[in-house]
C-alpha cells in the first residue's frame, strides 16, 4: 500500500512551531564537559605615560578572556606586513622569555590560563570566534519527532568579554513516515549566513551527524506520543552514544 503524499502546508505549520533556541542548560553542560576551555589574550597598542622618561610610550594592553584582567606589556615592532596574515606588532612575555604575536599560544600572566594571542584588529563587529560546538537535541513537536542540530559559538569582544551565540543548523522532522528537512542558515557560494529561522528544504539531503566534540541532549522516551513512538529512537541514541548523553 502506497504511503500518502506529504502535505507540505501542514509540514510548514510544524516547522513554524519548532523551537528557535536550544535547551537553556546547553552552555553549562558544555563547560562541565570541558568544551569551553579555550581562551584568548586580546592585545592592542596604546600610548602609556612613563614617569621615568616623562613621556608617552607605546605599550601593548593585553586582556585575558578567562579572568578579564588587563596588563601592559612591552610593545615590539615586527617586520611583517598585513598581507602575510600577521600584524606588524607583538609584545614581550617576560615570564616565558618570548615575543608573542597574533595567533601564537601563550599564558595569561594573571591567572596562568593558556590562550591564543589575538590582535584587536582581527576582532570584527560580531566579535572574535574562540571555538564552536554542535549540539544535538530532540523534541516532541505537535505529535512529531524532531531531531535538531544547533551550532553553539563562543565569542569575545575587544575588551576580552566572553559571550555566546546559538544558531539553528539543521532539523529533521518525521511526519507520517516522511522526513521533512529544515535548515537555519543560508549559503551563497563559499559564504554561510547564520541566524535565520527554520526553513524547509525539499531538495538535498540531511547532514546531521555526531563527532566527539558534539553534545547529545536527548531524553529517554522523547518519541513517546509521536507518530514515531515505535521506533525506540531514544533507546538507540542512549545505547550508541551513551558517552555524550548528560547525566
Amino acid at each position: 500500500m502506497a504511503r500518502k503524499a506529504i502535505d507540505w502546508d501542514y509540514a510548514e505549520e510544524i516547522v513554524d512551531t519548532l523551537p528557535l533556541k536550544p535547551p537553556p542548560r546547553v552552555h553549562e553542560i558544555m563547560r562541565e564537559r570541558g568544551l569551553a576551555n579555550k581562551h584568548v589574550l586580546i592585545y592592542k597598542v596604546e600610548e602609556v605615560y612613563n614617569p621615568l622618561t616623562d613621556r608617552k610610550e607605546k605599550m601593548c594592553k593585553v586582556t585575558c578572556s578567562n579572568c578579564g584582567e588587563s596588563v601592559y606589556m612591552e610593545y615590539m615592532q615586527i617586520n611583517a606586513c598585513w598581507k602575510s596574515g600577521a600584524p606588524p606588532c607583538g609584545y614581550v612575555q617576560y615570564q616565558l622569555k618570548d615575543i608573542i604575536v597574533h595567533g601564537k599560544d601563550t599564558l595569561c600572566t594573571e591567572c596562568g590560563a593558556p590562550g591564543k594571542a589575538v590582535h584587536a584588529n582581527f576582532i570584527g563587529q560580531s566579535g572574535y570566534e574562540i571555538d564552536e560546538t554542535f549540539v544535538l537535541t530532540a523534541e516532541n513537536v505537535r505529535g512529531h519527532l524532531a531531531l535538531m542540530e544547533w551550532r553553539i559559538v563562543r565569542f569575545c569582544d575587544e575588551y576580552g568579554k566572553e559571550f555566546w551565540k546559538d544558531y539553528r543548523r539543521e532539523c529533521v522532522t518525521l511526519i507520517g513516515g516522511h522526513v521533512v528537512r529544515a535548515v537555519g542558515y543560508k549559503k551563497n557560494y563559499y559564504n554561510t549566513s547564520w541566524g535565520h529561522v527554520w526553513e524547509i528544504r525539499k531538495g538535498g539531503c540531511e547532514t546531521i551527524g555526531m563527532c566527539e566534540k558534539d553534545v547529545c541532549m536527548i531524553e529517554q522516551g522523547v518519541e513517546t506520543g509521536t507518530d514515531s513512538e515505535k521506533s525506540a529512537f531514544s533507546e538507540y541514541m542512549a545505547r550508541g552514544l551513551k558517552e555524550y548523553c548528560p547525566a
Side-chain angles (χ1 to χ4, degrees):
M1 181 177 178
R3 284 189 300 175
K4 184 178 179 181
I6 188 169
D7 183 345
W8 287 107
D9 290 335
Y10 178 70
E12 288 278 4
E13 292 180 16
I14 299 299
V15 170
D16 287 342
T17 59
L18 290 171
L20 298 178
K21 293 183 179 181
R25 288 190 66 247
V26 63
H27 301 160
E28 180 183 343
I29 291 175
M30 287 172 61
R31 291 189 186 279
E32 291 173 355
R33 300 185 187 183
L35 298 177
N37 290 339
K38 289 185 178 179
H39 309 290
V40 293
L41 293 155
I42 309 297
Y43 72 97
K44 58 182 178 180
V45 181
E46 292 186 1
E47 287 192 344
V48 181
Y49 174 73
N50 187 344
L52 298 177
T53 59
D54 194 29
R55 63 179 182 180
K56 289 185 176 182
E57 298 179 358
K58 282 185 177 180
M59 298 285 288
C60 279
K61 184 179 181 180
V62 184
T63 305
C64 175
S65 66
N66 181 49
C67 64
E69 296 293 330
S70 299
V71 295
Y72 283 100
M73 296 287 189
E74 181 181 347
Y75 167 85
M76 180 63 66
Q77 181 73 33
I78 306 296
N79 294 323
C81 63
W82 284 98
K83 291 183 180 180
S84 68
C89 74
Y91 64 92
V92 180
Q93 215 317 353
Y94 285 105
Q95 286 84 347
L96 300 178
K97 298 180 180 179
D98 198 5
I99 296 175
I100 307 301
V101 296
H102 173 80
K104 192 169 185 176
D105 292 330
T106 183
L107 297 174
C108 173
T109 58
E110 299 303 298
C111 66
K116 183 172 71 172
V118 176
H119 192 279
N121 284 2
F122 282 81
I123 301 177
Q125 292 183 346
S126 59
Y128 182 85
E129 182 177 321
I130 302 176
D131 58 10
E132 68 175 11
T133 304
F134 291 93
V135 175
L136 196 65
T137 64
E139 289 191 26
N140 180 340
V141 180
R142 291 179 59 179
H144 304 287
L145 178 63
L147 182 65
M148 292 160 285
E149 189 177 39
W150 312 84
R151 177 175 177 255
I152 314 297
V153 187
R154 198 160 55 99
F155 290 88
C156 75
D157 59 19
E158 62 177 310
Y159 305 104
K161 184 177 180 181
E162 179 186 296
F163 59 96
W164 301 80
K165 288 186 180 180
D166 306 331
Y167 298 108
R168 294 164 286 278
R169 188 175 183 271
E170 291 209 18
C171 173
V172 170
T173 309
L174 301 174
I175 303 176
H178 295 276
V179 175
V180 176
R181 174 176 175 254
V183 300
Y185 62 88
K186 294 182 180 179
K187 284 190 174 182
N188 182 15
Y189 294 100
Y190 298 106
N191 297 320
T192 302
S193 173
W194 297 92
H196 301 277
V197 297
W198 294 114
E199 184 177 335
I200 287 180
R201 290 287 187 272
K202 296 182 180 180
C205 60
E206 58 91 6
T207 59
I208 290 179
M210 291 292 293
C211 71
E212 62 180 13
K213 195 180 178 184
D214 294 342
V215 177
C216 181
M217 300 177 63
I218 298 176
E219 296 181 359
Q220 285 290 305
V222 67
E223 70 275 14
T224 302
T226 71
D227 48 9
S228 304
E229 64 180 351
K230 294 183 180 180
S231 64
F233 167 76
S234 61
E235 181 182 346
Y236 164 78
M237 294 297 291
R239 183 172 64 250
L241 297 168
K242 186 177 181 180
E243 65 269 30
Y244 300 113
C245 294

